[in-house]
Amino acid sequence: MEGSSLYAEHLKEQQRRADRALELGGYDSLLIASGSLRYHFLDDNPFAFKPSPLFRSWLPQVTSSDCWIAYRPGQAPTLIYHQPADYWHQTPQDPQGEWTDHFQVVVSRRREDAAKLLSDNLGRCAILGPEIAAVEGLHPDNPEAVLSVLHYHRAKKTGFELEQMRGANRLAARAHRAAEAAFRAGESEWGIHLRYMAAAGQGETELPYGNIIALNEHAAVLHYQVQDRAVPPAHRSFLIDAGADQLGYAADITRSYASEDGPYAELISAVEEVELALVAMATADQDYAQIHLAAHQLLAEKLRELEIIQIDAEEAVASGVSRTFFPHGVGHLIGLQVHDVGGFQGDESGKQPIAKPDGHPYLRLTRRLQPDYVVTIEPGVYFIPMLLDELRAGPHAGAVNWERVESLLPYGGVRIEDDVRVTDAAPENLSRNAFAEVV
Ligand code: GLY
Ligand code: MN
Ligand code: MN
Protein backbone atom coordinates (compact mmCIF):
# COMPACT_ATOMS: atom_id res chain seq x y z
CA MET A 1 0.00 0.00 0.00
CA GLU A 2 1.22 3.54 -0.78
CA GLY A 3 2.25 5.80 2.13
CA SER A 4 -0.72 8.09 1.53
CA SER A 5 -3.32 5.35 1.77
CA LEU A 6 -1.56 3.97 4.82
CA TYR A 7 -2.28 7.28 6.58
CA ALA A 8 -5.91 7.29 5.43
CA GLU A 9 -6.36 3.77 6.81
CA HIS A 10 -4.58 4.76 10.03
CA LEU A 11 -6.91 7.70 10.51
CA LYS A 12 -9.96 5.52 9.94
CA GLU A 13 -8.69 3.18 12.64
CA GLN A 14 -8.30 6.10 15.08
CA GLN A 15 -11.90 7.07 14.29
CA ARG A 16 -13.12 3.51 14.91
CA ARG A 17 -11.32 3.49 18.25
CA ALA A 18 -12.79 6.89 19.12
CA ASP A 19 -16.30 5.69 18.19
CA ARG A 20 -15.88 2.79 20.59
CA ALA A 21 -14.41 4.97 23.36
CA LEU A 22 -17.24 7.49 23.09
CA GLU A 23 -19.86 4.77 23.08
CA LEU A 24 -18.44 3.09 26.18
CA GLY A 25 -17.84 6.42 27.92
CA GLY A 26 -21.30 7.79 27.09
CA TYR A 27 -20.11 10.81 25.08
CA ASP A 28 -21.19 12.35 21.77
CA SER A 29 -17.88 13.80 20.64
CA LEU A 30 -14.18 14.12 21.30
CA LEU A 31 -11.80 17.07 21.53
CA ILE A 32 -8.06 16.45 21.63
CA ALA A 33 -5.57 19.19 22.48
CA SER A 34 -2.06 19.22 21.07
CA GLY A 35 -0.96 20.97 24.30
CA SER A 36 0.59 24.31 25.21
CA LEU A 37 4.03 25.68 25.95
CA ARG A 38 5.35 25.37 29.51
CA TYR A 39 7.81 27.92 30.84
CA HIS A 40 10.75 27.60 33.19
CA PHE A 41 10.12 29.19 36.58
CA LEU A 42 10.46 32.98 36.51
CA ASP A 43 11.65 32.79 32.93
CA ASP A 44 10.35 33.54 29.47
CA ASN A 45 12.05 30.52 27.90
CA PRO A 46 9.74 27.57 27.27
CA PHE A 47 10.60 23.89 27.62
CA ALA A 48 10.82 22.11 24.28
CA PHE A 49 7.29 21.41 23.08
CA LYS A 50 6.05 17.88 22.39
CA PRO A 51 2.48 17.43 21.20
CA SER A 52 0.30 15.14 23.28
CA PRO A 53 0.58 11.51 22.09
CA LEU A 54 -3.23 11.38 21.88
CA PHE A 55 -3.14 14.25 19.38
CA ARG A 56 -0.24 12.70 17.50
CA SER A 57 -2.11 9.45 17.09
CA TRP A 58 -4.48 11.34 14.76
CA LEU A 59 -2.17 13.94 13.29
CA PRO A 60 1.52 13.08 13.58
CA GLN A 61 2.33 15.64 10.88
CA VAL A 62 1.17 18.61 13.01
CA THR A 63 3.61 19.44 15.78
CA SER A 64 2.55 22.88 16.97
CA SER A 65 1.00 23.88 20.27
CA ASP A 66 -2.59 25.01 20.93
CA CYS A 67 -4.20 23.00 18.16
CA TRP A 68 -7.40 21.02 18.76
CA ILE A 69 -8.96 18.09 16.95
CA ALA A 70 -12.75 17.92 17.16
CA TYR A 71 -14.49 14.71 16.18
CA ARG A 72 -18.09 13.60 16.17
CA PRO A 73 -18.76 10.05 14.93
CA GLY A 74 -20.02 9.99 11.36
CA GLN A 75 -18.54 13.41 10.54
CA ALA A 76 -15.16 14.46 9.14
CA PRO A 77 -12.89 15.71 11.93
CA THR A 78 -12.08 19.40 12.34
CA LEU A 79 -8.64 20.78 13.17
CA ILE A 80 -8.34 24.11 14.93
CA TYR A 81 -4.88 25.00 13.61
CA HIS A 82 -3.03 27.52 15.73
CA GLN A 83 -0.99 29.83 13.55
CA PRO A 84 -0.38 32.86 15.72
CA ALA A 85 0.42 36.36 14.56
CA ASP A 86 4.00 36.41 15.92
CA TYR A 87 7.12 38.00 14.45
CA TRP A 88 9.43 36.75 17.25
CA HIS A 89 9.25 33.10 16.33
CA GLN A 90 8.95 30.91 13.28
CA THR A 91 5.25 30.30 13.02
CA PRO A 92 3.73 27.01 11.80
CA GLN A 93 3.57 26.75 8.02
CA ASP A 94 0.24 26.88 6.22
CA PRO A 95 -1.55 23.53 6.42
CA GLN A 96 -0.34 21.28 3.62
CA GLY A 97 0.00 17.61 2.87
CA GLU A 98 -2.28 14.64 2.50
CA TRP A 99 -3.78 15.02 5.96
CA THR A 100 -5.54 18.24 4.92
CA ASP A 101 -7.83 16.11 2.70
CA HIS A 102 -9.20 14.44 5.81
CA PHE A 103 -9.75 17.42 8.14
CA GLN A 104 -11.77 20.53 7.96
CA VAL A 105 -9.07 23.05 8.89
CA VAL A 106 -9.89 26.26 10.79
CA VAL A 107 -6.96 28.60 11.49
CA SER A 108 -6.78 30.30 14.90
CA ARG A 109 -4.58 33.35 15.49
CA ARG A 110 -5.00 33.47 19.28
CA ARG A 111 -5.01 30.37 21.48
CA GLU A 112 -7.86 31.80 23.53
CA ASP A 113 -10.16 31.68 20.49
CA ALA A 114 -10.26 27.89 20.14
CA ALA A 115 -13.71 27.42 21.72
CA LYS A 116 -15.27 30.19 19.61
CA LEU A 117 -13.98 28.62 16.41
CA LEU A 118 -15.61 25.27 17.07
CA SER A 119 -19.05 24.58 15.71
CA ASP A 120 -21.54 24.23 18.55
CA ASN A 121 -22.89 20.77 17.70
CA LEU A 122 -20.48 18.72 19.80
CA GLY A 123 -23.08 17.58 22.35
CA ARG A 124 -21.58 15.86 25.39
CA CYS A 125 -17.87 16.15 24.68
CA ALA A 126 -14.88 14.32 26.19
CA ILE A 127 -11.92 16.72 26.25
CA LEU A 128 -8.49 15.11 26.21
CA GLY A 129 -5.24 16.91 26.89
CA PRO A 130 -2.93 18.33 29.53
CA GLU A 131 -4.35 20.84 31.99
CA ILE A 132 -2.07 23.54 30.61
CA ALA A 133 -3.93 23.43 27.27
CA ALA A 134 -7.12 24.77 28.91
CA VAL A 135 -8.67 27.92 27.48
CA GLU A 136 -11.98 29.54 28.26
CA GLY A 137 -14.73 27.09 27.35
CA LEU A 138 -12.36 24.14 26.87
CA HIS A 139 -11.10 22.39 29.99
CA PRO A 140 -9.61 18.94 29.53
CA ASP A 141 -11.42 16.40 31.70
CA ASN A 142 -9.71 13.25 30.39
CA PRO A 143 -12.48 10.78 31.25
CA GLU A 144 -10.96 7.49 32.34
CA ALA A 145 -13.57 5.43 30.46
CA VAL A 146 -12.55 7.08 27.17
CA LEU A 147 -8.80 7.05 27.82
CA SER A 148 -8.81 3.36 28.77
CA VAL A 149 -10.24 2.33 25.41
CA LEU A 150 -7.77 4.48 23.44
CA HIS A 151 -4.81 3.35 25.54
CA TYR A 152 -5.70 -0.32 25.28
CA HIS A 153 -5.93 -0.32 21.49
CA ARG A 154 -2.73 1.70 20.99
CA ALA A 155 -0.75 -1.49 21.62
CA LYS A 156 -1.75 -2.72 18.16
CA LYS A 157 0.04 -0.69 15.52
CA THR A 158 -1.45 0.25 12.16
CA GLY A 159 0.49 -0.21 8.91
CA PHE A 160 1.26 3.51 8.94
CA GLU A 161 2.66 3.31 12.47
CA LEU A 162 4.79 0.27 11.64
CA GLU A 163 6.31 2.19 8.73
CA GLN A 164 7.27 5.05 11.07
CA MET A 165 8.75 2.64 13.59
CA ARG A 166 10.80 0.88 10.92
CA GLY A 167 12.07 4.30 9.83
CA ALA A 168 12.88 5.35 13.40
CA ASN A 169 14.86 2.12 13.83
CA ARG A 170 16.85 2.81 10.64
CA LEU A 171 17.75 6.30 11.89
CA ALA A 172 18.79 4.89 15.25
CA ALA A 173 20.78 2.02 13.73
CA ARG A 174 22.79 4.42 11.58
CA ALA A 175 23.51 6.55 14.64
CA HIS A 176 24.44 3.49 16.73
CA ARG A 177 27.06 2.58 14.11
CA ALA A 178 28.54 6.09 14.33
CA ALA A 179 28.58 5.86 18.13
CA GLU A 180 30.37 2.51 18.07
CA ALA A 181 33.03 3.98 15.77
CA ALA A 182 33.47 6.93 18.16
CA PHE A 183 33.90 4.50 21.09
CA ARG A 184 36.53 2.54 19.16
CA ALA A 185 38.27 5.84 18.33
CA GLY A 186 38.53 6.59 22.06
CA GLU A 187 36.14 9.54 22.34
CA SER A 188 34.49 10.78 25.53
CA GLU A 189 30.84 10.09 26.33
CA TRP A 190 30.07 13.65 25.23
CA GLY A 191 31.93 13.15 21.96
CA ILE A 192 30.05 9.91 21.29
CA HIS A 193 26.76 11.63 22.13
CA LEU A 194 27.45 14.40 19.58
CA ARG A 195 28.36 11.85 16.92
CA TYR A 196 25.16 9.97 17.63
CA MET A 197 22.99 13.04 17.21
CA ALA A 198 24.79 14.13 14.05
CA ALA A 199 24.32 10.68 12.47
CA ALA A 200 20.66 10.51 13.51
CA GLY A 201 20.09 14.08 12.34
CA GLN A 202 18.21 14.70 15.59
CA GLY A 203 18.91 16.94 18.55
CA GLU A 204 18.26 16.29 22.20
CA THR A 205 14.70 17.58 22.17
CA GLU A 206 13.77 15.53 19.11
CA LEU A 207 15.08 12.21 20.39
CA PRO A 208 12.41 10.10 22.11
CA TYR A 209 14.43 9.93 25.36
CA GLY A 210 17.75 11.13 26.70
CA ASN A 211 20.68 9.17 25.26
CA ILE A 212 22.31 6.72 27.66
CA ILE A 213 25.98 6.80 26.65
CA ALA A 214 27.92 4.92 29.31
CA LEU A 215 31.61 4.04 29.35
CA ASN A 216 33.10 1.59 31.85
CA GLU A 217 31.50 1.62 35.35
CA HIS A 218 28.82 4.02 34.14
CA ALA A 219 27.18 1.10 32.32
CA ALA A 220 25.94 -0.04 35.74
CA VAL A 221 23.66 3.00 36.01
CA LEU A 222 20.46 1.86 34.32
CA HIS A 223 19.34 5.27 33.07
CA TYR A 224 22.74 6.99 33.12
CA GLN A 225 21.97 10.59 32.15
CA VAL A 226 25.40 12.29 32.27
CA GLN A 227 27.63 12.69 29.26
CA ASP A 228 31.07 12.98 30.75
CA ARG A 229 33.16 15.56 28.86
CA ALA A 230 36.45 13.97 29.96
CA VAL A 231 38.05 11.16 27.98
CA PRO A 232 38.49 8.32 30.50
CA PRO A 233 41.96 6.77 30.98
CA ALA A 234 40.70 3.50 29.46
CA HIS A 235 37.84 2.42 27.21
CA ARG A 236 36.95 -1.00 28.62
CA SER A 237 33.24 -1.17 27.87
CA PHE A 238 30.50 0.84 26.21
CA LEU A 239 26.75 0.58 26.75
CA ILE A 240 24.58 2.75 24.53
CA ASP A 241 20.80 2.93 24.90
CA ALA A 242 19.62 5.47 22.35
CA GLY A 243 16.70 5.84 19.97
CA ALA A 244 15.31 8.03 17.25
CA ASP A 245 12.01 9.54 16.25
CA GLN A 246 10.01 9.40 13.06
CA LEU A 247 6.78 11.41 13.07
CA GLY A 248 6.50 10.96 16.83
CA TYR A 249 7.14 7.20 16.80
CA ALA A 250 10.08 5.93 18.81
CA ALA A 251 12.92 3.50 18.40
CA ASP A 252 14.59 2.27 21.61
CA ILE A 253 17.78 0.29 21.02
CA THR A 254 20.62 -0.81 23.30
CA ARG A 255 23.97 -2.29 22.37
CA SER A 256 27.00 -3.15 24.49
CA TYR A 257 30.59 -3.32 23.25
CA ALA A 258 33.89 -4.62 24.65
CA SER A 259 37.22 -3.17 23.62
CA GLU A 260 38.92 -6.57 23.87
CA ASP A 261 38.27 -10.30 24.33
CA GLY A 262 37.82 -11.62 27.84
CA PRO A 263 35.12 -12.19 30.46
CA TYR A 264 33.22 -9.00 29.64
CA ALA A 265 33.11 -9.83 25.92
CA GLU A 266 31.91 -13.34 26.89
CA LEU A 267 29.17 -11.80 28.98
CA ILE A 268 28.02 -9.72 26.00
CA SER A 269 27.80 -12.89 23.87
CA ALA A 270 25.85 -14.65 26.62
CA VAL A 271 23.33 -11.81 27.00
CA GLU A 272 22.95 -11.62 23.24
CA GLU A 273 22.14 -15.33 23.08
CA VAL A 274 19.51 -14.85 25.78
CA GLU A 275 18.10 -11.79 24.06
CA LEU A 276 17.62 -13.65 20.78
CA ALA A 277 15.91 -16.53 22.57
CA LEU A 278 13.53 -14.07 24.26
CA VAL A 279 12.82 -12.24 20.99
CA ALA A 280 11.79 -15.59 19.49
CA MET A 281 9.23 -15.93 22.31
CA ALA A 282 7.45 -12.70 21.27
CA THR A 283 4.69 -14.48 19.37
CA ALA A 284 0.91 -14.12 19.26
CA ASP A 285 -0.88 -15.12 22.46
CA GLN A 286 2.34 -15.23 24.49
CA ASP A 287 1.97 -13.92 28.05
CA TYR A 288 4.64 -11.19 28.19
CA ALA A 289 5.23 -11.67 31.94
CA GLN A 290 6.41 -15.21 31.08
CA ILE A 291 9.06 -13.72 28.80
CA HIS A 292 10.27 -11.68 31.76
CA LEU A 293 10.41 -14.77 33.99
CA ALA A 294 12.18 -16.71 31.23
CA ALA A 295 14.76 -13.91 31.07
CA HIS A 296 15.59 -14.48 34.74
CA GLN A 297 15.97 -18.22 34.21
CA LEU A 298 18.13 -17.90 31.06
CA LEU A 299 20.31 -15.11 32.47
CA ALA A 300 20.83 -17.08 35.69
CA GLU A 301 22.00 -20.07 33.62
CA LYS A 302 24.55 -17.81 31.91
CA LEU A 303 25.67 -16.35 35.25
CA ARG A 304 26.32 -19.87 36.41
CA GLU A 305 28.16 -20.89 33.22
CA LEU A 306 30.34 -17.78 33.45
CA GLU A 307 31.05 -18.56 37.13
CA ILE A 308 29.59 -15.30 38.36
CA ILE A 309 27.25 -17.20 40.67
CA GLN A 310 27.90 -20.58 42.23
CA ILE A 311 24.33 -21.84 42.74
CA ASP A 312 21.90 -23.40 40.24
CA ALA A 313 19.89 -21.09 38.02
CA GLU A 314 16.60 -22.25 39.58
CA GLU A 315 17.87 -21.40 43.03
CA ALA A 316 19.20 -18.03 41.85
CA VAL A 317 15.75 -17.13 40.51
CA ALA A 318 13.80 -18.49 43.48
CA SER A 319 16.03 -16.74 46.03
CA GLY A 320 15.96 -13.40 44.19
CA VAL A 321 19.72 -13.46 43.52
CA SER A 322 19.08 -13.07 39.78
CA ARG A 323 17.36 -9.73 40.52
CA THR A 324 20.63 -8.29 41.84
CA PHE A 325 22.13 -8.74 38.37
CA PHE A 326 18.97 -8.08 36.32
CA PRO A 327 16.96 -5.53 38.31
CA HIS A 328 14.61 -4.16 35.64
CA GLY A 329 11.78 -5.41 33.46
CA VAL A 330 12.52 -7.28 30.24
CA GLY A 331 10.75 -4.62 28.18
CA HIS A 332 7.62 -2.67 27.40
CA LEU A 333 5.17 -1.57 24.75
CA ILE A 334 6.61 1.09 22.46
CA GLY A 335 5.07 3.51 19.96
CA LEU A 336 4.20 7.19 20.40
CA GLN A 337 5.82 6.93 23.81
CA VAL A 338 8.95 4.96 24.51
CA HIS A 339 7.23 3.36 27.47
CA ASP A 340 3.85 3.22 25.83
CA VAL A 341 0.56 3.30 27.72
CA GLY A 342 -1.74 0.42 28.59
CA GLY A 343 0.88 -2.15 29.60
CA PHE A 344 -1.24 -3.69 32.37
CA GLN A 345 -4.73 -3.48 30.87
CA GLY A 346 -6.53 -6.81 30.71
CA ASP A 347 -9.23 -5.28 28.52
CA GLU A 348 -10.33 -1.99 27.01
CA SER A 349 -12.38 -0.97 30.07
CA GLY A 350 -9.22 -0.57 32.11
CA LYS A 351 -11.02 -2.25 35.01
CA GLN A 352 -9.17 -5.57 34.78
CA PRO A 353 -5.49 -4.77 35.35
CA ILE A 354 -3.09 -7.71 35.06
CA ALA A 355 -0.82 -7.81 38.11
CA LYS A 356 2.96 -8.02 37.83
CA PRO A 357 4.52 -11.22 39.11
CA ASP A 358 5.40 -10.97 42.81
CA GLY A 359 8.86 -9.52 43.36
CA HIS A 360 9.06 -7.88 39.92
CA PRO A 361 7.93 -4.30 40.52
CA TYR A 362 9.67 -2.80 37.49
CA LEU A 363 8.00 -4.85 34.78
CA ARG A 364 5.97 -2.49 32.54
CA LEU A 365 3.96 -4.99 30.51
CA THR A 366 1.88 -7.96 31.62
CA ARG A 367 -0.49 -8.36 28.67
CA ARG A 368 -0.80 -11.29 26.32
CA LEU A 369 0.85 -10.35 23.01
CA GLN A 370 -1.18 -10.00 19.82
CA PRO A 371 -0.18 -9.49 16.17
CA ASP A 372 1.09 -5.96 15.48
CA TYR A 373 1.92 -5.16 19.07
CA VAL A 374 5.44 -3.70 19.15
CA VAL A 375 7.46 -4.40 22.29
CA THR A 376 11.05 -4.13 23.37
CA ILE A 377 13.09 -7.09 24.55
CA GLU A 378 15.97 -5.90 26.69
CA PRO A 379 17.67 -8.31 29.06
CA GLY A 380 20.79 -7.19 30.88
CA VAL A 381 23.39 -8.13 33.47
CA TYR A 382 24.86 -5.39 35.66
CA PHE A 383 27.35 -5.00 38.48
CA ILE A 384 25.62 -2.34 40.57
CA PRO A 385 27.53 -1.61 43.79
CA MET A 386 24.38 -0.65 45.74
CA LEU A 387 22.61 -3.94 44.95
CA LEU A 388 25.76 -6.05 45.32
CA ASP A 389 26.37 -4.57 48.80
CA GLU A 390 22.84 -5.55 49.82
CA LEU A 391 23.33 -9.08 48.52
CA ARG A 392 26.68 -9.42 50.24
CA ALA A 393 25.21 -8.35 53.56
CA GLY A 394 22.29 -10.80 53.31
CA PRO A 395 21.68 -14.54 53.61
CA HIS A 396 22.58 -15.30 49.97
CA ALA A 397 26.10 -13.84 49.98
CA GLY A 398 27.50 -17.35 49.43
CA ALA A 399 25.67 -17.63 46.09
CA VAL A 400 28.13 -15.30 44.42
CA ASN A 401 31.69 -15.71 43.18
CA TRP A 402 32.82 -12.35 44.57
CA GLU A 403 36.27 -12.48 43.00
CA ARG A 404 34.66 -12.76 39.57
CA VAL A 405 32.24 -9.96 40.37
CA GLU A 406 35.05 -7.66 41.55
CA SER A 407 36.89 -8.26 38.28
CA LEU A 408 33.78 -7.27 36.27
CA LEU A 409 32.81 -4.17 38.29
CA PRO A 410 34.97 -1.86 36.13
CA TYR A 411 32.87 -2.83 33.07
CA GLY A 412 29.53 -1.76 34.59
CA GLY A 413 27.17 -4.08 32.76
CA VAL A 414 25.59 -5.30 29.55
CA ARG A 415 22.17 -4.64 28.02
CA ILE A 416 20.95 -5.61 24.57
CA GLU A 417 17.62 -4.26 23.37
CA ASP A 418 15.60 -4.63 20.18
CA ASP A 419 12.16 -3.40 19.10
CA VAL A 420 10.06 -6.32 17.98
CA ARG A 421 6.73 -6.59 16.15
CA VAL A 422 4.56 -9.55 17.03
CA THR A 423 3.04 -11.34 14.04
CA ASP A 424 1.05 -14.53 13.49
CA ALA A 425 4.35 -16.27 12.76
CA ALA A 426 7.97 -15.35 13.60
CA PRO A 427 8.47 -11.89 15.14
CA GLU A 428 9.72 -9.01 12.97
CA ASN A 429 12.83 -7.59 14.59
CA LEU A 430 12.66 -3.91 13.59
CA SER A 431 16.03 -3.10 15.14
CA ARG A 432 18.09 -5.95 13.70
CA ASN A 433 16.47 -5.49 10.29
CA ALA A 434 17.46 -1.81 10.48
CA PHE A 435 21.09 -2.61 11.35
CA ALA A 436 21.19 -5.02 8.38
CA GLU A 437 19.86 -2.29 6.07
CA VAL A 438 22.22 0.50 7.09
CA VAL A 439 25.46 -1.55 6.90
N1 GLY B 1 15.59 3.52 27.04
C1 GLY B 1 14.78 3.19 28.15
C2 GLY B 1 14.36 1.82 28.11
O1 GLY B 1 15.01 1.00 27.49
O2 GLY B 1 13.34 1.43 28.60
MN1 MN C 1 13.34 0.04 26.46
MN1 MN D 1 16.31 1.50 25.95
Side-chain angles (χ1 to χ4, degrees), residues 376-391:
T376 68
I377 297 288
E378 49 181 303
V381 168
Y382 311 87
F383 305 96
I384 302 172
M386 181 183 118
L387 300 182
L388 291 168
D389 288 348
E390 282 171 18
L391 183 59

Side-chain angles (χ1 to χ4, degrees), residues 209 212 223 241 252 254 332 338-339 364 376 378 415 417:
Y209 58 94
I212 297 167
H223 283 172
D241 182 344
D252 178 10
T254 308
H332 47 86
V338 175
H339 299 151
R364 298 176 196 270
T376 68
E378 49 181 303
R415 176 163 68 254
E417 174 177 28

Side-chain angles (χ1 to χ4, degrees), residues 30 55 121 144 206 223 229 238-239 262 334 359 363 419 425 438:
L30 191 61
F55 182 92
N121 66 347
E144 202 52 46
E206 295 164 291
H223 283 172
R229 267 56 168 180
F238 174 38
L239 185 156
I334 179 170
L363 185 59
D419 303 345
V438 303

Side-chain angles (χ1 to χ4, degrees), residues 259-277:
S259 55
E260 56 187 30
D261 292 344
Y264 179 72
E266 285 167 23
L267 182 60
I268 293 177
S269 302
V271 174
E272 174 140 45
E273 225 179 277
V274 170
E275 196 255 358
L276 290 171

Side-chain angles (χ1 to χ4, degrees), residues 400-421:
V400 173
N401 175 350
W402 291 105
E403 210 177 303
R404 191 74 153 165
V405 165
E406 296 288 341
S407 74
L408 284 160
L409 274 169
Y411 297 84
V414 172
R415 176 163 68 254
I416 299 181
E417 174 177 28
D418 289 329
D419 303 345
V420 176
R421 170 192 168 213

